[in-house]
Amino acid sequence: MAHIVQKYGGSSVGSVERIQAVAQRVYQTVKAGNSLIVVVSAMGKTTDGLVRLASEISKNPNRREMDMLLSTGEQVTIALLSMALQELGQPAISMTGAQVGIVTEAEHTRARILHIETDRLLRHINQGKVVVVAGFQGISSTEELEITTLGRGGSDTSAVALAAAIQADFCEIYTDVPGILTTDPRLVPEAQLMDAITCNEMLELASLGAKVLHPRSVEIARNYGVPLVVRSSWTDDPGTWVTSLKPQERSLVNLEIAKAVDAVEFDTNQAKVALLRVPDKPGVAAKLFGEIARQNVDVDLIIQSIHEGNSNDIAFTVTTPILKRAEAVAAAIAPALRNPSNPKSDEAEVMIEKDIAKVSISGAGMIGRPGVAAKMFATLAEASVNIQMISTSEVKVSCVVSSTDCDRAVAALSTAFEIETGEQASRGVEKVFNTQHSATPLATTEVPSRQSPQVGEPAHGAGSATPWLYPAGSRRSVYSTPHSRPVCGVALDMNQTRLAIRQVPDKAGMAAKLFGILAQHNISVDMIIQSQRCRLIDGVPKRDIAFTVPRMDGETAQKLLTQVAGELGWGEVVLDNAIAKVSIVGAGMVGQPGVAAKMFEALAQHQINIQMIATSEIKISCVVAQEQGVKALQVIHAAFDLAGSEKFVVPA
Ligand code: ASP
Ligand code: MG
């Protein structure tokens, strides 16, 4: 017998017929010998309808009353589904979040789950009943016992949290699409269904706008190792498995608000190569990284910053042993990037920096919690560590610093984020493989049927010590394992704005200031890039810093930063709305040369100029002109052979 949590979204329970179909599926699952908790959303577009009603009465409805209102949607569905099950002869009982004891913060309309009582749930289950739980809602931990909601789309989070709390064998998310696709099928009809994706990849894609799963549900799945599958409630197709590594032991208390950072890592085995003042035109990054890939040099971080005039800086890091080769490639290419009419100019100058280290914090949901990166930068500033390069992603924030600062940086970060020495990285690159996925394809073909989540061992390679969690009885082929392809998905984000701060003094504490101010206003920063070139202005070395924020926050961010610019010695704060961000995501790109080159080459072939580049271990993002965004997405998706032979039909 397996313990399963199933979640059905609004469209899956949108009518009486659909609720009856869901009851049938639940009934069959029980008959197959499983015990079940079923989480449901409000029927169809009920929640939207309730929001509309509220807006007709108030421009700015009270958040407590909003929760009171919106939580009613799910209460209708649980009662009806429970009745439908009883009609089939299946004992069932419906429960609201409060009745179960889904205890949350008192933050109305965006409460996070603190813990879940399991006694009542298990008592009913042990009596042979299916428990039908209202998704998206909980009860506050305060004396007032307020009804709370988790934020739109939050039923996924209810389901995965319940699965973590009762240590279910797996959690199934039923929806109206067949699973997780390689990109947005409305823009690329050839988008293909994935068999499997890792939680870390999914978090990157979710933050890039893939709406299939509430990102918080993926964070919980990752943190507690809940095997998760997204499937269509209309078919029996297998859907997409979202897999996680076996996590560190973690308490179920403060479920969603416990430690955001679970490790501090560092790598002193790094060197930086920068090409300064390269022409700002399509094809430059493709040429450079194409040649680097041909020499089989694996680059780690890549950044391309914007600069006034018509030139950019491109910098990348490699491991020290291959620095010589990387340097040779850069030096060989530089003359070709210079202006032929002025070959003696200072264009395309190569700069090498050997004494650097990369320090990182890893965890889940970093971009979504702007306070975490801000705290990292503030901690480094307090320890007088100057940051040379920054890389941000949902699962990791890394800073390149001088190698002499490395120990001090790691010690300060471990204290600040309460990381015990045991959890901390050992010197060198090994930790990268321990926490991050190796690039080695997993060879497990089939998992024998057992009751608890299975542990699959990768066949060989640096990652062989890290077990993957598989659900009992699932069939997996080599092709469905997360590492069989370097890139699993491509995302386009048209809702970003770029801000650039000119002439920021090159000293410790600047990123801390910048991020601190934005974090205070809960503004998430994604790509953040400092120009490599340093200019002396009135005797002070200065660099430009550019970064992207959600478009709706652009003007606020500009205003906030302009206010402090004078006192911090910053220049102008410039805003550019006409951008699009296109990203590739894949755990398999770690340790694989040529992935970035392929992305840049696809853009170059279509004359799409890259304005900014930023990477993290499992993501590469480029900023391009807004009107070229969709084209960029399409050509990159095609370049990585992600297109299927059939066109995907988007459900109405
Ligand atoms: N009914 C809620 C919403 O539409 C929660 C959910 O369906 O996940 O946001
Ligand atoms: Mg949803």
Side-chain angles (χ1 to χ4, degrees):
M1 188 181 79
H3 291 293
I4 304 172
V5 175
Q6 292 186 338
K7 180 258 170 178
Y8 293 91
S11 54
S12 299
V13 291
S15 64
V16 166
E17 293 71 35
R18 289 299 311 157
I19 289 177
Q20 286 167 330
V22 165
Q24 270 297 341
R25 188 185 291 267
V26 171
Y27 181 55
Q28 298 305 333
T29 314
V30 176
K31 278 219 311 214
N34 304 296
S35 76
L36 233 66
I37 293 175
V38 181
V39 176
V40 287
S41 292
M43 290 172 69
K45 302 241 175 278
T46 301
T47 312
D48 291 336
L50 294 171
V51 170
R52 216 172 307 120
L53 278 179
S55 70
E56 282 171 24
I57 291 195
S58 165
K59 263 216 195 92
N60 190 10
N62 178 285
R63 304 224 323 256
R64 176 188 185 275
E65 304 309 333
M66 255 341 243
D67 277 355
M68 193 60 90
L69 177 68
L70 297 195
S71 62
T72 60
E74 274 70 15
Q75 201 170 329
V76 171
T77 327
I78 53 172
L80 292 176
L81 178 58
S82 188
M83 288 176 203
L85 284 163
Q86 290 163 4
E87 282 299 311
L88 296 174
Q90 171 59 49
I93 182 168
S94 61
M95 294 177 93
T96 63
Q99 285 177 309
V100 170
I102 299 181
V103 181
T104 72
E105 311 168 298
E107 272 290 316
H108 285 292
T109 72
R110 49 164 181 252
R112 288 172 300 178
I113 298 173
L114 300 176
H115 74 271
I116 296 181
E117 306 276 348
T118 53
D119 297 0
R120 265 163 288 182
L121 279 175
L122 294 175
R123 200 162 58 233
H124 290 301
I125 286 175
N126 291 338
Q127 291 166 0
K129 283 181 251 178
V130 167
V131 187
V132 185
V133 179
F136 170 61
Q137 57 174 256
I139 186 97
S140 75
S141 58
T142 54
E143 215 177 294
E144 280 71 28
L145 297 178
E146 295 284 9
I147 292 178
T148 54
T149 66
L150 310 182
R152 296 303 306 272
S155 292
D156 298 337
T157 295
S158 309
V160 180
L162 279 162
I166 65 152
Q167 294 174 2
D169 293 279
F170 55 94
C171 179
E172 297 180 302
I173 305 284
Y174 283 96
T175 177
D176 54 4
V177 291
I180 297 159
L181 299 169
T182 49
T183 193
D184 183 345
R186 286 166 304 183
L187 302 176
V188 186
E190 297 80 15
Q192 226 185 138
L193 183 68
M194 290 181 231
D195 296 322
I197 181 171
T198 66
C199 276
N200 282 356
E201 290 169 324
M202 191 59 215
L203 280 171
E204 299 290 4
L205 285 170
S207 81
L208 297 171
K211 295 212 181 57
V212 216
L213 282 173
H214 200 229
R216 281 162 53 189
S217 69
V218 186
E219 291 175 21
I220 300 171
R222 174 194 181 276
N223 290 345
Y224 292 92
V226 178
L228 186 65
V229 63
V230 180
R231 306 176 61 185
S232 163
S233 67
W234 272 261
T235 68
D236 286 323
D237 296 341
T240 306
W241 281 97
V242 184
T243 63
S244 42
L245 293 164
K246 196 174 163 38
Q248 292 164 13
E249 263 320 304
R250 209 180 163 100
S251 155
L252 285 159
V253 177
N254 287 341
L255 200 133
E256 277 200 272
I257 61 166
K259 270 208 249 178
V261 171
D262 43 40
V264 172
E265 299 164 15
F266 63 98
D267 182 359
T268 46
N269 202 12
Q270 292 243 336
K272 180 171 83 180
V273 180
L275 258 145
L276 307 186
R277 288 174 288 270
V278 299
D280 182 27
K281 61 176 196 214
V284 173
K287 191 171 196 165
L288 174 63
F289 290 97
E291 192 48 38
I292 283 175
R294 267 187 292 284
Q295 302 294 326
N296 217 25
V297 169
D298 181 30
V299 296
D300 182 7
L301 302 179
I302 301 174
I303 63 159
Q304 180 197 294
S305 51
I306 53 151
H307 205 264
E308 68 237 53
N310 47 8
S311 75
N312 295 318
D313 301 337
I314 298 182
F316 57 93
T317 61
V318 293
T319 58
T320 324
I322 52 174
L323 172 64
K324 279 270 156 292
R325 244 190 305 158
E327 186 182 352
V329 177
I333 257 179
L337 298 176
R338 287 183 195 135
N339 185 347
S341 61
N342 185 11
K344 287 223 160 61
S345 72
D346 62 354
E347 287 171 335
E349 177 196 343
V350 180
M351 192 175 83
I352 305 292
E353 178 105 45
K354 285 195 197 110
D355 299 320
I356 60 161
K358 183 173 77 170
V359 292
S360 316
I361 53 172
S362 63
M366 305 267 190
I367 295 175
R369 293 186 182 82
V372 177
K375 182 169 170 182
M376 179 184 197
F377 303 143
T379 305
L380 293 177
E382 250 161 65
S384 308
V385 175
N386 191 25
I387 303 168
Q388 300 184 14
M389 272 165 109
I390 295 171
S391 145
T392 52
S393 79
E394 279 298 349
V395 293
K396 189 169 278 197
V397 182
S398 303
C399 295
V400 169
V401 301
S402 159
S403 57
T404 51
D405 291 342
C406 182
D407 290 348
R408 221 167 59 247
V410 172
L413 291 172
S414 301
T415 310
F417 289 104
E418 295 170 43
I419 303 294
E420 286 156 31
T421 348
E423 298 165 283
Q424 199 183 301
S426 54
R427 186 167 281 271
V429 289
E430 298 90 72
K431 185 63 178 176
V432 174
F433 290 113
N434 285 340
T435 54
Q436 205 58 57
H437 315 141
S438 80
T440 321
L442 307 186
T444 315
T445 49
E446 194 177 338
V447 178
S449 175
R450 269 199 265 141
Q451 295 320 321
S452 54
Q454 312 284 302
V455 168
E457 292 296 333
H460 54 82
S464 59
T466 47
W468 290 82
L469 293 174
Y470 296 103
S474 72
R475 280 167 162 278
R476 298 168 59 94
S477 71
V478 170
Y479 301 102
S480 71
T481 55
H483 286 155
S484 54
R485 33 47 180 167
V487 172
C488 69
V490 187
L492 176 66
D493 189 345
M494 301 283 260
N495 289 312
Q496 295 271 320
T497 287
R498 178 178 51 216
L499 281 154
I501 310 178
R502 301 292 183 193
Q503 299 163 10
V504 176
D506 182 32
K507 63 175 193 211
M510 288 295 122
K513 278 267 159 33
L514 203 165
F515 270 72
I517 292 165
L518 298 180
Q520 263 169 24
H521 293 81
N522 213 24
I523 299 177
S524 300
V525 177
D526 184 9
M527 295 171 77
I528 165 153
I529 294 167
Q530 318 188 55
S531 66
Q532 290 303 302
R533 170 176 3 167
C534 205
R535 285 189 306 166
L536 275 182
I537 294 175
D538 299 332
V540 183
K542 297 203 169 186
R543 296 179 196 276
D544 297 345
I545 297 186
F547 53 92
T548 59
V549 297
R551 176 147 319 155
M552 58 175 189
D553 296 328
E555 273 167 27
T556 313
Q558 185 185 30
K559 216 189 282 139
L560 289 166
L561 296 171
T562 307
Q563 277 164 10
V564 296
E567 117 204 22
L568 294 171
W570 297 351
E572 202 188 349
V573 183
V574 198
L575 182 113
D576 184 356
N577 273 325
I579 61 156
K581 185 181 76 179
V582 56
S583 309
I584 58 175
V585 171
M589 69 174 69
V590 179
Q592 196 171 129
V595 177
K598 191 181 249 182
M599 178 181 190
F600 304 153
E601 179 58 39
L603 294 174
Q605 260 174 19
H606 293 84
Q607 293 299 312
I608 298 173
N609 193 29
I610 305 173
Q611 301 181 5
M612 272 164 101
I613 303 170
T615 69
S616 70
E617 272 156 26
I618 64 170
K619 178 175 82 176
I620 303 175
S621 302
C622 293
V623 167
V624 301
Q626 181 146 47
E627 69 271 13
Q628 291 181 311
V630 173
K631 180 91 196 159
L633 176 78
Q634 290 165 341
V635 302
I636 292 169
H637 190 265
F640 285 96
D641 283 330
L642 294 172
S645 48
E646 279 168 47
K647 291 208 191 270
F648 187 86
V649 183
V650 182

